[in-house]
Each structure stands twice: as C-alpha cells, then as structure tokens.
C-alpha cells in the first residue's frame, strides 16, 4: 500500500472519492492533500480536479464544507500556517462567498477569518457583509473594521472607491485593534469619557506631513479639556508599546505584516503631534526618542518599519523647548541613518544652533544632560534608609544599593519599591538613558578626528573631561593641549611622564598619525599602566600609509578591491560611519558609489561597489536587492566634483556632467592629507572586515553553489591587513598574562593553541580555525559558547573580532571540556 503522505496524486484520488460520496468528515483529508501540494490548487496541480469536484457538488455539501473549514480555522488560532492553509482552501472552493450567504453565526466566523488578512481582494464583499450586519442591527467587530480601513488605505485594485462611503461611517473603534499599543488604548478608552474619545479621534485626522495651526488649536482645546498631565501620563505607556509584535498576527502578508497598521500609523502621528502642546517633561522626550528608533527598526525586504511615525516623533521633539528634548535630538542625530528622518533631525539641531548663536557641534555638546550624575560617572541618592548608587562602568550604567549600615544590597529593597516608587522609576529610566547616550557620544567623539574640531580649554573642561556623563568617555581618551599630549589618570590630566597639566589654551583630540612609533607605544604602555580602557581605538588605532602599489596607481587604491560583502550589513556600517550609500537593486538602473563627504577638507571619498550575481534567486532578496556586493577602488575627488555612478549590476563608473561641464579627475593619493587617507581607509577596512562573507564560519563550502569557495578561502586565511596586524600586536601583549599562555604561540597570520585533542591555528584576521594534523577546518559559530571566560583587561572597547579570537583560544585550550555537540562532532 502506498504511503499517502508521499503520494499527492493518490491522496487527490482518495479525496475525489470522498467528495463524490459527499462524506461529512472530509476536512482532515483535504488538509493532508493541501500540505502535499504546498497549497497549490491551480488546474495543473493534483488539487485542480479536487476544486472542480467541490464546485460541481451539491449546494448542501458546499455549505457544510465551508462551515467545517471555518470551524477548523477558528480551532487553529495559534497556528498561523494552519490558518493560512484553511484560508486558501476556502478561497479555492469559493467558501468565502458561501459563508457570506449563510446565517449570522457563519458570517461572524467569516468576518473573523477575513480580519486576519492585511487587505481583502474583494472590496464589494466587505461592503455586502457590512450591509447585512447593519440590516440585522449588529455593530461590525473592531477587527473587521480594521480590515476595511486597511483595504481602503492599501488596496491597489480598481473599484476600491466602493469603500469610501462605508469608511466615512465607521467612527468606532477609534484605533484598529490588533497592535499592542492600540489594544491598550482601547482598553483604557473603554473606561474614560467622551472627551478622551474625541481627543483620539482628532489624532486620527493627522493626514498631513505637519500639523496646521488649525489642527493645533483644536488639539490644544481637547488637551485642555482632558488635562495636560492626564494626557501625558496616559499617552506615554501607549507609545512605549509601539513596535511590539501584533497581538494576533496577520496571515499571508510576508514582511508587510511586520509594518504598522496604516490607519493606526495616522493616529500615532496625531498623538505624537499632541505632545508638544503639553508642558515639557523629560518622560515626553524619552518616549519620543524611543518611538523614533522603534519606527525605524529595519525589516528585511521592507526597510524601516514606519518612517512616517518616526518623522512625526522627530518633528515633535523639534517643537518641544526643553533640555531633555534637545538631548534626544542630539542623541538621535548620532544614531539615525534613515535619510528622511536624519534630515529632520539635522534641521532641528541647526535651527537650535542658529537660535543660540552657536555652532552645531557646540549645541550637540551642550545638549548632553547629566542624568542626575553629580560627579563624573557617579551619583548617590538617599531613599529612606537606603542609598542608591548610580555609576558608569565603561559603556554601561550600573544601579546598586546600600543599606543604612553602608553594606551592599543585591536587589531593590522592598521599602524603596513601596515608599519611593517614582524615584525608583526615574533611576531606572536614567540607567537606560545613560546607556543610549554613552553609545551616541562615543560615536560622536570617534567622528571628531575628521571634523578638525578644536576647543577652548575652559569649554573643553566643562563639556568634555569634567562633564558628569561625557567625562566618563573623555577621561579615557588622549588629548593634545597646546601641542602636548595628555591623558587623565589619578584625578588629573597628565603627560607621558605623569606630570600634571592644569591649564591650557587650545585642545584637540589626539590621533596617532604624525607621531613616531615609539611615542605611540609609550602611550599604549601609559594607558595599560593606569588601567585605562579606551571607549574606541585611539592609541591602538590603525594608521594607513600609502603603499608602493598606491603610489603607482596614483589616483586610486585597490587595497580593498575584489571582496565580496553582505550588502545590507555593509549598508548599515556605512551609515554609522557617516557615509552615504544606496542599496543596489537587481534592476536596470544606476547608483553612485558609497561616498563620504568631508566638507572641512573640501574632499569627497568614494568606494566603488557593484551588485554580485543576479541570475540566481539566491543572490536577490524578495524586495529585489542584491544580497552581496563586489568591491573595487577607493578614490578621492574635490567636494564639488560632479557625481559618479555605475549600473547596479556592475560596469564602468561614469561622471554625470551637466551644462557642458568638464569632467573632474580624481585627486592623486599623495595630495590627500595623511589623516584623511588613514581614516577613510580605516572605514573601508572596517566595512570589509565586518561585512565580508569570508567571516562566515559556515561558508567553508563556498556559499550558494560553491561559487565563493576560492574567495572564502583566500580571505579567511589571507595575509593580515592593517587592522589584523594591530590585533596581532595587542594579542602578543595580552596572551602572556592569561592562564592559557603556555598553550599559545604566534606564527605569522595565526595564533596556535595547543589543546589535548589537537593543535588549533586561529587566523588573526577572520578568526577561522584550522586543526592539526591536516589543517582541517573547524567551524565554531560565534555565540555557540556565550559563557566562555573573558580575557580581563583590554585596552579598548568595540573590537568584536579580538574578543572572538580570545574566547575561541580559551575554549580550545581546554578542548576536553567542550560539551557543544556541533563542535565535538568535528573534533
């Protein structure tokens, strides 16, 4: 007897016999067939004759089948795949129309079934159902109303205007259920008065890009009626839920199901517009900043989840005149990479700078709050007999507790939770705010190398080294005061020989370019002696000098050409480092190279790239963008030179000239200031080092079709680039201090680790591993052993590859203690 689970044709014949007999329990057999044919019910599939047989059966049988499928759908509430399968069966058998004709209980099931879609293909059916329900005196369910609204807003088929009169009549619910924030709002609104309903309904009229004066006046009157404090305390919890997963996921929507409900997005924009009408409050700014980030979360194949809401929140922050709002604008200005929202943030910060008569950089510095810190990186707050201690440790804020006797307490005392709930809430919020701001300020300071920023000594002390928050970063960096390099240790600015420096005139951020190797090594020793971990690479920063090959090519560098990079990771990295890039789509179009503009130097750096592949669906995302890029030259042009572009699939870059303009040649690399050259090449090295497919430990087979085997091998075990050479030098200093020192040796590109089972060669550029005796590849996926011991003191933060190599070395030195079955199977 043939196994029906592997024979679609036989299963289809079985189902046809059951249809002919009009059996009552046919649904399970249909679902088995649906799985076998992957829900393909078209004429050429084994399911085609089944569809014809159902449609040719008696009406009673069709009605009964539709009801049974609807019941199965209801029973599959927690099974999205099962719900989608039943829905496709109903569509194939025209069961949706059958349910519409049946009594109200079946129609209720139909409405619940339809409501789980993002949009409905048949707007006329929605109108018909609504009219039948109205004629029988019933209100439409909120989820079905949400479907009608989404279909009206998103539907692209002809005839959608039939929904216009219906949508105009649908005043309730005021927000569409199905999203966490909207469900919370509807629950709250059920217990509030009509004034609140009118306020939220007004938010739903926010259909323009910006609020008009008339909209603001109406909103202000409604806010005053409800009460400004009540509005703030009610809206903030709703907005904090934005971006959470849907309370009941939509089916058959792809990535679009992860976006915000379009009707609710309009309401959200209106709610956000109301916040600047309230008295300023730190919680308001904090909520808006979080909303910007939640709305710009990237969804594969979709992009930012909802820039419309993000832009509304950015505009609201710009309209609030408070230090907290300015701080959020400054923080977001260093973090947001989405072009439209970034432009709004830049405009807001530039406007504030103009109003205050300051530079943009000064406004960003002055905007950083202390978050309650009373000294650099620390504050204490008495809460009854308990003392809360908030301290900054490296990149994180830590909240700890001491009892009346001064002894540490592991958790928040019950008395604090009971008697000081508001203060506790603010302290916990400060911890989160500090963590976010530390990241933003670290990135801002890292970008000062190319900003040619100088400070007056007194202003620098106030805004940087003595600032309660920024000081935790600035005191771990090296600075140049009137030509003398200084660091901060033991409460003072000190020179290399620890002589205190107490005054000065002009300050700049120190960079190793232009300093001798001996001096750089001496400062590295100084930092280590004083136990200073820098927030990013500075004393250990790579310096990229011109090579003989680059002197020969003259106007371009091939140092980082011919690499294969993961496009979306590359795209994110370029944005973080201040570059402009355009995703390569598999279309007949052109795109510029990745560009970093350097206005302070009058220069533009370009990294030439092209889409990789394209003939295979494995090279393209569902949205049509290349998964991978192939890299080419790095070039420099005058800032105002016409732009270059090339076809997305590859080909020669051409300069676009207008109005008879003459082409502009790239600049000789010898004419580029050494600091600029070094920092640009360092960025490009970062892009390659992080985004290269050669870093993927699972690609020893060469990836899709094995096409990248040669590149993966050459990259994964290649000669060390500048960044890896710096890492090697640091590891040579760190390894001798570790317990595994006697098991480690360095040989060329590799760290050799002697275990009990094998000796392992860890490549210092990619962290890929080869095992003796025959150089077999060992695949260890990052994160497979998160509890691996740490290496202790490191001179800087943020080098993921350094930490990965150390964790692998410590793991493999004790290879008899490894328990991970995936690793053991390779040993």
């Amino acid at each position: 007897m043939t196994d029906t689970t592997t024979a679609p044709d036989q299963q289809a014949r079985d189902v046809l016999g059951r249809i002919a007999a009009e059996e009552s329990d046919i649904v399970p057999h249909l679902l088995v067939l649906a799985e076998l044919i992957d829900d393909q019910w078209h004429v050429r599939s084994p399911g085609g004759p089944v569809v014809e047989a159902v449609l040719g059966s008696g009406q009673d049988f069709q009605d009964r089948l539709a009801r049974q499928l609807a019941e199965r759908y209801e029973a599959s509430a927690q099974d999205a795949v099962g719900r989608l399968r039943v829905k496709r069966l109903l569509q194939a058998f025209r069961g949706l129309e059958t349910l519409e004709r049946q009594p109200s209980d079946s129609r209720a099931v139909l409405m619940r079934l339809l409501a789980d879609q993002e949009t409905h293909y048949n707007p006329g059916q929605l109108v018909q159902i609504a009219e039948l329900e109205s004629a029988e005196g019933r209100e439409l369910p909120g989820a079905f109303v949400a479907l009608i609204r989404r279909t009206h807003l998103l539907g692209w088929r002809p005839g959608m205007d039939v929904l216009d009169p219906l949508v105009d009549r649908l005043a309730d619910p005021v927000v569409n259920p199905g999203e966490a924030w909207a469900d919370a709002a509807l629950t709250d609104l059920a217990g509030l008065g009509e004034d609140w309903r009118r306020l939220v309904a007004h938010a739903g009229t926010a259909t323009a890009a910006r609020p008009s004066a008339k909209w603001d006046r109406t909103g202000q009157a409604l806010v005053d009626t409800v009460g400004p404090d009540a509005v703030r305390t009610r809206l903030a919890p709703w907005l904090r839920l934005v971006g959470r997963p849907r309370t009941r996921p939509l089916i058959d929507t792809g990535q679009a199901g992860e976006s915000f409900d379009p009707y609710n997005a309009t309401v959200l924009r209106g709610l956000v517009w109301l916040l600047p009408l309230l008295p300023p409050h730190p919680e308001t700014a904090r909520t808006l900043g979080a909303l910007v980030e939640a709305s710009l979360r990237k969804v594969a194949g979709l992009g930012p989840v909802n820039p419309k809401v993000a832009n509304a929140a950015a505009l609201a922050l710009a309209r609030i005149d408070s230090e907290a709002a300015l701080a959020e604008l400054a923080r977001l200005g260093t973090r947001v990479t989405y072009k439209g929202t970034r432009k709004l943030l830049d405009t807001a910060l530039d406007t504030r700078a103009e109003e205050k008569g300051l530079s943009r950089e000064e406004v960003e510095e002055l905007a950083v709050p202390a978050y309650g810190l009373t000294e650099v990186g620390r504050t204490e707050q008495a809460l009854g007999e308990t003392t809360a201690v908030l301290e900054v440790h490296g990149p994180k804020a830590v909240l700890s507790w001491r009892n009346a006797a001064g002894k540490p307490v592991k958790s928040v005392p019950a008395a604090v939770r009971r008697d000081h709930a508001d203060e506790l809430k603010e302290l916990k919020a400060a911890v989160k705010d500090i963590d976010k701001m530390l990241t933003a300020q670290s990135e801002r300071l890292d970008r000062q190398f190319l900003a040619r920023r100088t400070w007056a000594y007194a202003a620098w002390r106030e805004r940087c080294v003595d600032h309660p928050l920024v000081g935790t970063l600035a005191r771990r960096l090296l600075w140049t005061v009137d030509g003398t390099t200084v660091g901060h240790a033991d409460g003072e600015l000190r020179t290399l020989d620890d002589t205190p420096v107490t005054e000065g005139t002009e300050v700049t951020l120190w960079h190793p370019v232009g300093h001798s190797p001996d001096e750089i090594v001496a400062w590295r020793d100084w930092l280590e002696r004083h136990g200073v971990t820098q927030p990013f690479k500075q004393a250990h920063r790579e310096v990229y000098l011109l090579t003989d090959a680059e002197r020969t090519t003259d106007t371009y560098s091939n140092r980082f050409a011919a690499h294969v990079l993961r496009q979306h990771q590359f795209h994110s990295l370029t944005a973080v480092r201040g570059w402009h890039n355009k995703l390569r789509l598999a279309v007949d179009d052109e795109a510029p190279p990745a560009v970093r503009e350097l206005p302070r130097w009058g220069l533009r750096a370009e990294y030439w790239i092209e889409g990789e592949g394209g003939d295979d669906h494995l090279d393209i995302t569902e949205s049509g963008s290349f998964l991978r890029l192939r890299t080419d030259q790095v070039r420099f042009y005058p800032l105002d030179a016409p732009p270059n572009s090339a076809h997305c699939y590859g080909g020669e870059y051409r300069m676009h000239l207008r109005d008879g303009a003459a082409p502009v040649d790239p600049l000789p690399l010898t004419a580029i200031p050494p600091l600029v050259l070094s920092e640009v090449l360092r960025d490009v090295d970062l892009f390659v080092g992080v985004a290269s497919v050669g870093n993927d430990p699972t690609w020893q087979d060469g990836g899709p079709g094995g096409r990248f085997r040669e590149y993966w091998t050459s990259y994964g075990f290649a000669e060390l680039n500048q960044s890896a050479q710096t890492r090697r030098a640091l590891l040579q200093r760190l390894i001798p201090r570790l317990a595994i020192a006697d098991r480690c040796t360095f040989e060329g590109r590799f760290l050799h680790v002697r275990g009990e089972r094998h000796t392992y060669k860890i490549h210092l550029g990619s962290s890929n591993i080869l095992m003796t005796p025959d150089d077999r590849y060992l695949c260890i996926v990052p994160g497979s052993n998160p509890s691996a011991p740490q290496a202790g003191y490191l001179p800087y933060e943020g080098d993921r590859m350094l930490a990965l190599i150390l964790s692998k070395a410590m793991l493999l030195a004790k290879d008899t203690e490894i328990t991970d079955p995936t690793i053991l199977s390779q040993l």
Side-chain angles (χ1 to χ4, degrees), residues 152-376:
H152 184 244
L153 290 169
L154 299 177
W156 54 270
R157 295 171 182 267
M160 285 295 169
D161 55 352
V162 72
L163 292 173
D164 292 350
L166 175 59
V167 169
D168 289 342
R169 297 197 305 269
L170 295 175
D172 288 305
V174 290
V175 292
N176 285 348
E179 294 181 327
W181 82 267
D183 289 353
L186 289 171
T187 299
D188 288 350
L189 289 170
L192 299 172
E194 182 61 22
D195 291 336
W196 262 102
R197 189 198 169 284
R198 283 197 293 267
L199 181 70
V200 178
H202 179 61
T205 65
T207 55
R210 296 170 182 265
S212 65
K214 180 180 178 182
W215 194 97
D216 273 348
R217 285 194 299 271
T218 303
Q220 187 69 68
L222 292 167
V223 165
D224 291 342
T225 300
V226 171
D229 288 341
V231 172
R232 178 180 58 78
T233 56
R234 190 69 66 176
L235 293 191
W238 297 352
L239 296 179
R240 284 196 291 269
L241 294 174
V242 173
R244 299 276 182 90
R246 287 186 61 88
T247 51
R248 180 166 175 131
L250 302 175
I251 63 173
D252 203 16
T253 58
Q255 294 91 343
E258 298 188 54
S259 62
F260 295 173
D261 182 295
Y263 183 85
N264 286 355
T266 298
V267 178
L268 278 173
R269 177 158 63 183
L271 295 176
V272 164
W273 284 356
L274 293 173
L275 294 178
L277 307 179
L278 309 176
H281 191 281
E283 185 180 26
T284 301
R286 188 181 298 136
T287 300
L288 287 170
L291 183 59
V292 170
E293 293 177 303
S295 303
L296 293 180
R297 177 179 60 85
K298 297 289 182 64
V299 175
L302 178 67
V305 63
N306 200 292
K308 168 177 152 178
V309 175
N311 292 348
L315 283 171
L317 279 170
R319 297 180 67 195
I320 298 174
D321 186 13
S322 74
E323 292 184 2
L326 181 56
E328 278 299 310
L329 286 170
R331 183 184 70 81
L332 292 169
T334 68
R335 302 290 295 158
V336 168
T337 59
Y338 180 70
K339 187 175 181 180
T341 309
R342 180 60 186 264
K343 183 177 180 180
L344 293 173
L345 294 168
D346 286 342
T347 299
L349 288 168
D350 290 341
T351 300
R352 293 290 179 91
E354 185 177 350
E355 291 172 352
K356 294 177 179 293
L358 300 171
S359 69
R360 164 75 176 271
E361 292 85 356
E362 288 176 306
V363 166
E364 290 178 344
E365 289 168 358
L366 292 170
V368 183
Y371 296 111
L373 300 173
T374 54
E375 55 186 292
V376 175

